[in-house]
Amino acid sequence: MRTSVRMTATAGFALVLSVHLIGCGGDGLPREGVSGTVTLNGQPLETGIITFVPEDPNTPTQGGTTIANGAYDIPRAQGLVPGQYKVIISSGEGSEEKPVEDLGEFGPGMPPVPAEEAIPSTYSGNTVLQANVTAGGDNRFEFTLAKSGGGGG
């Protein structure tokens, strides 16, 4: 009787594991990992956020991640499908943070909001930065920014 219970439990666990692994197989999109560096005025950007927005509205992915010590990395599992992307970089580096005052606008537990955007608008709100993600390519992008807004990647 014990052997039967053990075999049933083992078979049940194997079934649950196989269903879980099949479910974790992804969304079937041909995603690519993306990584690189960001410098501002010749120095690694200490902290920030990088976002890749597809230029073609039919491209099914948009993605982003944090920048730490000038580096960012989006693993393949969360990566982007090949295509042309606008790149938005944002950071409050060097600016004083202010707490969220109106919780009606933001949810509870939101991080402090940077008092001032440290990245020129040509790389953030009105970005001129682009990246072409390719199938099987290196997909490593270096972005060299200048406070004057004249650099690019």
Side-chain angles (χ1 to χ4, degrees), residues 40-61:
L40 178 62
N41 292 335
Q43 299 297 315
L45 185 64
E46 191 175 318
T47 60
I49 297 172
I50 187 166
T51 307
F52 292 82
V53 179
E55 290 193 3
D56 180 351
N58 295 317
T59 300
T61 59

Side-chain angles (χ1 to χ4, degrees), residues 19 39 47 49 51 59 66-69 125 127 142:
V19 168
T39 59
T47 60
I49 297 172
T51 307
T59 300
T66 56
I67 301 166
N69 300 315
T127 189
E142 316 296 323

